[in-house]
Amino acid sequence: MTLTVDIRKKAYPNGCCAIENLQFSAQRGEFIAIVGPSGAGKTTLLNLIAGLDRNLDGSIALRSGAAPARPTIGFMFQEPRLMPWLTVQQNLELVLAPQARLQQVVQLQDMLGLVGLPGCGALFPGQLSGGMQRRVALLRAFIVEPEVLLMDEPFQSLDAPTADQLRTLLQELWQRTRPSVLFVTHSLREALSLADRVLFLSARPSRIILDLPVDLSRPRTIEDAAVQKLHASLLERYPQLLEGQLAPPPEKSCTVHSCMR
Ligand code: ADP
């Protein structure tokens, strides 16, 4: 599986140019974090890759090794987006193909144990904490075994210990089936604790300003000394990295007057 992204320009009908000259490839099993300032175009990028938005000047190509019936792209959003009127088990069954449902019912019970929710299949989302709902959403993203999993700040707005637990769980699930992951975050520590590679985006219109391999042993947490050290050395070298700038600041070449933020 290879994902090749070649976006010459992505502008919205109101004239807002979100992305310009952004190219990269992702290999099978690679965990890539995407870091950039707010409003840079990260969600726009994921939507384009997912095919939710096809209006671009450029191309997104996914050369797949999977059987045709298998879904190739999964998406995990900022909110868990569980169906409130369905139980946990029914929410999970919903994403499985009908023929897979019967076979996987027993497996689902085991999988719920694996994500720390044993015996919770009959509960409704409203009976779960925010962290538990994210666990269900994580499991739902992985049980369809996507080749590419797109994650848009999935642990935002969680307290620090819960986010830590979910990052550990994410790494465990990823190690089992090894999809390629594109994980959007504005937290450099989170990116360095999860990814094989971090793509840093400029401010809008976004392009890649730094493609950084992260060669640290796993499993990792954001508290690891090696993660902290890399974090500090990166910001020392590029103080404006999180504002989307390597020195000197990049020139902007298309108008942004009509953008909302
Ligand atoms: P990020 O995820 O990096 O915060 P987004 O991809 O959400 O950024 O947005 C990038 C830019 O595109 C922002 O300026 C935003 O206002 C603009 N934008 C996003 N969606 C739309 C839309 N549907 N119509 C017009 N402008 C949009």
Side-chain angles (χ1 to χ4, degrees):
M1 191 291 310
T2 313
L3 171 71
T4 308
V5 175
D6 180 3
I7 302 172
R8 285 184 289 281
K9 184 167 170 175
K10 164 62 194 172
Y12 285 103
N14 65 356
C16 176
C17 182
I19 301 175
E20 195 172 47
N21 290 328
L22 188 150
Q23 289 90 18
F24 71 94
S25 293
Q27 303 305 318
R28 183 190 174 88
E30 219 178 357
F31 198 128
I32 298 178
I34 298 170
V35 174
S38 181
K42 303 182 291 299
T43 299
T44 301
L45 175 62
L46 291 195
N47 286 340
L48 290 170
I49 294 171
L52 299 173
D53 180 354
R54 296 180 187 273
N55 188 2
L56 79 155
D57 175 7
S59 62
I60 312 278
L62 178 62
R63 212 168 329 122
S64 170
R70 212 174 112 186
T72 54
I73 296 189
F75 210 134
M76 185 168 167
F77 301 92
Q78 288 175 9
E79 297 303 322
R81 299 199 187 184
L82 302 174
M83 305 296 160
W85 60 90
L86 298 179
T87 64
V88 166
Q89 170 109 10
Q90 289 165 338
N91 266 284
L92 295 170
E93 286 173 8
L94 199 61
V95 298
L96 297 173
Q99 67 273 21
R101 278 184 201 150
L102 275 176
Q103 294 162 9
Q104 289 201 279
V105 166
V106 178
Q107 226 179 317
L108 280 183
Q109 324 263 1
D110 293 345
M111 301 286 271
L112 279 168
L114 186 77
V115 299
L117 298 172
C120 291
L123 298 180
F124 288 90
Q127 297 173 290
L128 306 178
S129 69
M132 291 162 88
Q133 291 188 23
R134 293 310 203 291
R135 285 171 187 267
V136 178
L138 251 187
L139 182 53
R140 182 181 57 184
F142 275 92
I143 55 173
V144 295
E145 298 188 11
E147 288 189 283
V148 179
L149 178 56
L150 307 174
M151 308 186 80
D152 193 357
E153 304 204 54
F155 309 140
Q156 207 195 21
S157 74
L158 291 172
D159 60 81
T162 305
D164 274 347
Q165 289 165 6
L166 283 160
R167 278 189 287 268
T168 302
L169 182 58
L170 167 60
Q171 290 179 80
E172 287 167 10
L173 291 170
W174 172 69
Q175 298 278 13
R176 288 169 73 96
T177 50
R178 290 300 291 256
S180 306
V181 177
L182 298 186
F183 186 101
V184 162
T185 177
H186 59 262
S187 162
L188 179 53
R189 282 196 181 84
E190 181 170 60
L192 298 176
S193 71
L194 290 173
D196 297 319
R197 183 178 159 204
V198 183
L199 304 180
F200 292 91
L201 302 188
S202 68
R204 186 182 61 230
S206 65
R207 60 189 175 81
I208 295 170
I209 54 169
L210 181 64
D211 184 341
L212 179 87
V214 182
D215 192 17
L216 303 177
S217 60
R218 294 182 183 276
R220 307 176 203 151
T221 72
I222 57 174
E223 286 85 25
D224 287 354
V227 170
Q228 304 276 8
K229 194 172 158 201
L230 182 54
H231 179 269
S233 69
L234 265 172
L235 290 185
E236 191 181 345
R237 183 158 180 202
Y238 306 111
Q240 290 182 286
L241 189 57
L242 299 181
E243 285 88 65
Q245 291 181 17
L246 300 178
E251 282 178 28
K252 292 198 170 160
S253 60
C254 69
T255 54
V256 295
H257 61 276
S258 47
C259 293
M260 302 299 288
R261 57 190 161 88

